[in-house]
Amino acid sequence: MSTTPYVPPKVWTWDAANGGQFANINRPIAGATHDKELPRGKHGFQLYSLATPNGQKVSILFEELLEAGYAAEYDAWLINIGKGDQFGSGFVGVNPNSKIPGLLDLTGAEPVRLFESGSMLVHLADKFGAFLPASGPDRTEVMNWLFWQMGSAPFVGGGFGHFFAYAPEKFEYPINRYAMETKRQLDVLDRRLAEVPFIAGADYSIADMAIWPWYGSMVLGRSYANSAEFLDVGIYKNLKRWADVIEARPAVKRGRIVNKNWGDEAEQVPERHGPEDFAGKAV
């Protein structure tokens, strides 16, 4: 481990070899690196994703819509970020930020592209009139928590997760800094869930679907190797109660393994084109 203090240069330059586990997919410029068209299936919604926390949000919502009887059938195509699929020209055309997920809504007169998971959740919830109140204070409260997640989770993933699990060297300062912030966020949720059964109040909503893949997974011991013990997640009793309730939902069991291509094969559905793709899976 280096003990020499880092002195920033006057002008930063890119060192492609530095950056840890995901250095090969990080770069300081945007745009496509190669030509590659995206596949399309037979359904009105085409999801291009990976079962990271951000990816799980949207597939969970699709599965919840289907579970509730809405005509929300979708094709889900794997975007392997380790291989750079997110830099293909087709994907960049849907999401110029080259981050999963990307979504095409082909149900109208003109195709609609969507990028950023929060935008997708609101678009789909409004389109089907489900899991998001149409107006008033209840809608605002869902939006409060949805945008809380969008703004807070980067400190968990890009901060704590990176320095605790993925950085090439471990340093006390960034791990302590982001562990403190992650625990503060867990406490925010735990206090909220001492008051209400679901994040935005009495009803299950897209706020729960956005927050559960990040923070529910943490208290269930699925995020960043050994982090559950390190962060002492057992103290967040209300958050754990909520995480267990959400995990038990059939649509969540399905949605969280869509576009997953690692781990237990019973929890892998790399592509999803219909309910038959869950046959034999742990759902």
Side-chain angles (χ1 to χ4, degrees), residues 166-263:
Y166 303 128
E169 298 180 84
K170 298 206 184 310
F171 293 99
E172 181 178 5
Y173 175 77
I175 291 175
N176 280 348
R177 169 68 182 86
Y178 289 113
M180 176 177 66
E181 172 60 14
T182 298
K183 286 184 67 66
R184 188 193 70 81
Q185 293 179 20
L186 292 168
D187 194 45
V188 168
L189 294 172
D190 195 63
R191 290 169 184 263
R192 172 61 174 166
L193 290 164
E195 303 169 344
V196 290
F198 297 105
I199 292 294
D203 298 321
Y204 179 61
S205 73
I206 58 171
D208 299 282
M209 299 177 210
I211 291 170
W212 184 85
W214 283 98
Y215 301 91
S217 290
M218 293 195 78
V219 298
L220 292 171
R222 295 200 186 108
S223 302
Y224 315 120
N226 301 317
S227 69
E229 180 180 9
F230 181 77
L231 295 172
D232 193 18
V233 299
I235 66 174
Y236 305 109
K237 305 295 186 184
N238 304 305
L239 183 55
K240 177 61 164 58
R241 182 270 309 163
W242 167 86
D244 288 336
V245 168
I246 303 299
E247 182 177 48
R249 297 179 67 90
V252 172
K253 290 180 183 293
R254 297 192 302 271
R256 77 175 189 87
I257 65 173
V258 170
N259 294 139
K260 188 177 181 189
N261 66 339
W262 69 90

Side-chain angles (χ1 to χ4, degrees), residues 25 49-50 77-86 100 261:
I25 61 170
S49 192
L50 185 69
W77 303 92
L78 179 69
I79 297 297
N80 191 327
I81 62 174
K83 294 183 177 179
D85 289 350
Q86 70 274 33
I100 63 93
N261 66 339

Side-chain angles (χ1 to χ4, degrees), residues 66-100:
L66 291 168
E67 185 80 10
Y70 293 97
E73 272 294 351
Y74 69 108
D75 293 286
W77 303 92
L78 179 69
I79 297 297
N80 191 327
I81 62 174
K83 294 183 177 179
D85 289 350
Q86 70 274 33
F87 300 120
S89 57
F91 188 83
V92 173
V94 175
N95 188 342
N97 196 37
S98 291
K99 302 290 185 182
I100 63 93

